[in-house]
Amino acid sequence: MGRKKIEIKMLEDSNTRQVTFSKRKTGLFKKAYELSILCGSEVAIVVFSPGKKPYSFGHPDINTVATKFLQQESNSNSALCSSSSKDSNLVRLNQLGEVMDQLYEEEKRGAILDVALHQHKKTQLDKVKQLHHLAELRCKLKARIDEIEVAETMLKIKEQPVVFCKNHA
Amino acid sequence: MGRKKIEIKMLEDSNTRQVTFSKRKTGLFKKAYELSILCGSEVAIVVFSPGKKPYSFGHPDINTVATKFLQQESNSNSALCSSSSKDSNLVRLNQLGEVMDQLYEEEKRGAILDVALHQHKKTQLDKVKQLHHLAELRCKLKARIDEIEVAETMLKIKEQPVVFCKNHA
DNA sequence: GTCTCTATTTATAAGCG
DNA sequence: TCGCTTATAAATAGAGA
């Protein structure tokens, strides 16, 4: 869909390849977004650029979670803070952004694997040997998810006194 | 892009929603395939249907691995087998298909997480506390990948005598 | 790497079997 | 749920800044 029809094969020119990657990644993520909204389904995409940089798309989005987090926290703590607490929260949240993104992405992928494994277990009960392995993997994943959740909770607890002005009221 | 323009919001009719999901999932996976070929980049997608069924796309594809596996094994063992060994191999491979798919998908996702964690480690060395957690996660992932590889190897070894007519020459 | 422009190709909404 | 058809909306190749 362009000035000319192109064959689907590796683009030789590295500049063209990079430009096309950028354009098509945008298109792919847009399609994924539309699918998730139209059909109310969860979608996760991970893609590596020609330069090996990872990009990911997920619905529900990180922003949704961050917004919920912010609203929840400011509701329960705003009375203790200065009038600019919401702005402070925003600044802090931005500082935490990268880490939160990391943890959220990890958690999301873990959750997806978890659900997928449950599905597999349901539909392949006859594959006993393989399921033993999968069950073990599932336990490890569960432990991993718990660990991520603990880490996330710790982050919130450690950052809250600064973020939300506790002990300053 | 159809007879009428539609708004991007949840489709209320569940039948329309399912049909649209099916069509757009196909489109999304096609786009992902084209991106992976044109730009030589790895892509992984997981999506859940309105009925909560998981679907996934990945490049390089499962078929690539299965084909390589089949060729490699038939080259080194075909002399020992009957003339219909290739067909037998195909039948056997199909029987193994579901399990292989599972293991391959798990391995691929693990690998993606692993690379992603490496990237994060490189670009966020200053976030020490969080990295301690990530490092732990990474070790667990590594163990998980090793475990999957072992399981896969065991599968190959256990199935080969039947698949490739060893002890029948 | 990004953005714009636009001719063209591609995806798909609606409808039918 | 699938396949097919067709009118139309949307994505994008190529080129330039």
Side-chain angles (χ1 to χ4, degrees):
Chain A
M1 36 237 255
R3 291 303 176 102
K4 277 188 181 174
K5 177 171 182 169
I6 60 162
E7 276 186 273
I8 302 303
K9 64 177 183 186
M10 169 76 90
L11 295 166
E12 297 300 339
D13 179 60
S14 73
N15 189 49
T16 303
R17 197 159 62 234
Q18 176 59 51
V19 170
T20 296
F21 176 81
S22 186
K23 285 182 177 178
R24 279 177 174 262
K25 175 171 66 62
T26 303
L28 185 70
F29 284 9
K30 184 177 179 186
K31 289 288 184 190
Y33 165 75
E34 294 181 349
L35 179 63
S36 72
I37 300 299
L38 287 171
C39 306
S41 41
E42 297 182 26
V43 185
I45 303 184
V46 184
V47 52
F48 293 87
S49 71
K52 305 300 176 193
K53 246 182 121 169
Y55 297 86
S56 69
F57 167 89
H59 173 86
D61 203 305
I62 295 158
N63 294 330
T64 309
V65 177
T67 302
K68 280 183 187 171
F69 170 71
L70 183 61
Q71 289 174 339
Q72 174 196 313
E73 295 301 322
S74 61
N75 284 343
S76 58
N77 290 285
S78 56
L80 300 172
C81 299
S82 70
S83 60
S84 66
S85 64
K86 278 193 176 175
D87 292 346
S88 297
N89 289 349
L90 277 169
V91 170
R92 258 308 163 177
L93 201 65
N94 286 336
Q95 292 174 342
L96 273 175
E98 282 192 346
V99 176
M100 291 296 288
D101 287 2
Q102 260 185 46
L103 291 169
Y104 184 75
E105 284 301 316
E106 290 302 318
E107 189 177 28
K108 190 168 61 192
R109 292 175 203 175
I112 287 163
L113 283 168
D114 201 23
V115 172
L117 286 172
H118 269 297
Q119 294 282 350
H120 287 146
K121 284 176 80 172
K122 279 186 191 162
T123 57
Q124 305 195 317
L125 282 171
D126 54 324
K127 312 220 167 192
V128 180
K129 280 185 296 185
Q130 290 74 24
L131 273 178
H132 281 180
H133 286 292
L134 288 175
E136 284 172 29
L137 298 182
R138 200 194 153 284
C139 288
K140 291 234 165 100
L141 279 172
K142 198 69 194 163
R144 194 163 69 77
I145 291 161
D146 291 344
E147 201 170 339
I148 289 168
E149 284 173 351
V150 170
E152 205 171 6
T153 304
M154 281 177 64
L155 268 177
K156 288 182 189 175
I157 292 167
K158 287 197 177 179
E159 296 296 337
Q160 267 183 24
V162 182
V163 178
F164 301 106
C165 317
K166 278 180 183 169
N167 305 324
H168 287 238
Chain B
M1 39 238 259
R3 293 300 178 105
K4 278 186 181 176
K5 176 170 182 169
I6 59 164
E7 273 185 275
I8 302 301
K9 64 177 183 183
M10 168 78 87
L11 295 165
E12 295 302 337
D13 180 61
S14 72
N15 189 49
T16 303
R17 197 161 61 236
Q18 179 57 52
V19 170
T20 295
F21 175 81
S22 187
K23 285 182 177 177
R24 279 176 173 261
K25 174 171 67 61
T26 303
L28 185 70
F29 284 9
K30 184 176 179 187
K31 288 288 184 191
Y33 166 75
E34 293 181 351
L35 179 63
S36 71
I37 300 299
L38 288 170
C39 305
S41 40
E42 298 184 25
V43 185
I45 302 183
V46 184
V47 52
F48 293 88
S49 70
K52 305 300 175 193
K53 248 181 119 169
Y55 297 87
S56 69
F57 166 88
H59 173 84
D61 204 306
I62 296 157
N63 295 329
T64 310
V65 177
T67 303
K68 280 184 188 170
F69 172 70
L70 184 61
Q71 288 173 342
Q72 173 196 312
E73 294 302 320
S74 61
N75 284 344
S76 58
N77 291 285
S78 55
L80 300 172
C81 300
S82 70
S83 60
S84 66
S85 65
K86 279 193 176 175
D87 292 347
S88 298
N89 290 351
L90 277 170
V91 171
R92 256 310 162 174
L93 199 65
N94 285 338
Q95 291 174 340
L96 273 175
E98 282 194 342
V99 176
M100 290 296 284
D101 286 4
Q102 260 185 48
L103 292 170
Y104 184 74
E105 284 301 318
E106 289 302 319
E107 189 178 29
K108 190 170 61 194
R109 292 176 202 175
I112 286 164
L113 283 168
D114 201 24
V115 172
L117 286 172
H118 270 300
Q119 294 282 353
H120 286 147
K121 283 177 80 172
K122 278 184 191 161
T123 57
Q124 305 195 317
L125 282 170
D126 53 324
K127 311 220 168 190
V128 181
K129 281 183 294 183
Q130 290 75 23
L131 273 178
H132 281 179
H133 288 291
L134 289 176
E136 285 173 28
L137 300 183
R138 203 194 149 284
C139 288
K140 291 233 164 104
L141 280 172
K142 200 70 193 161
R144 193 162 71 79
I145 291 161
D146 290 343
E147 202 170 336
I148 290 168
E149 284 171 353
V150 170
E152 205 170 6
T153 305
M154 282 177 65
L155 268 178
K156 288 182 187 173
I157 292 167
K158 288 199 176 177
E159 296 296 337
Q160 267 184 25
V162 183
V163 178
F164 302 107
C165 317
K166 279 182 183 169
N167 306 323
H168 288 238

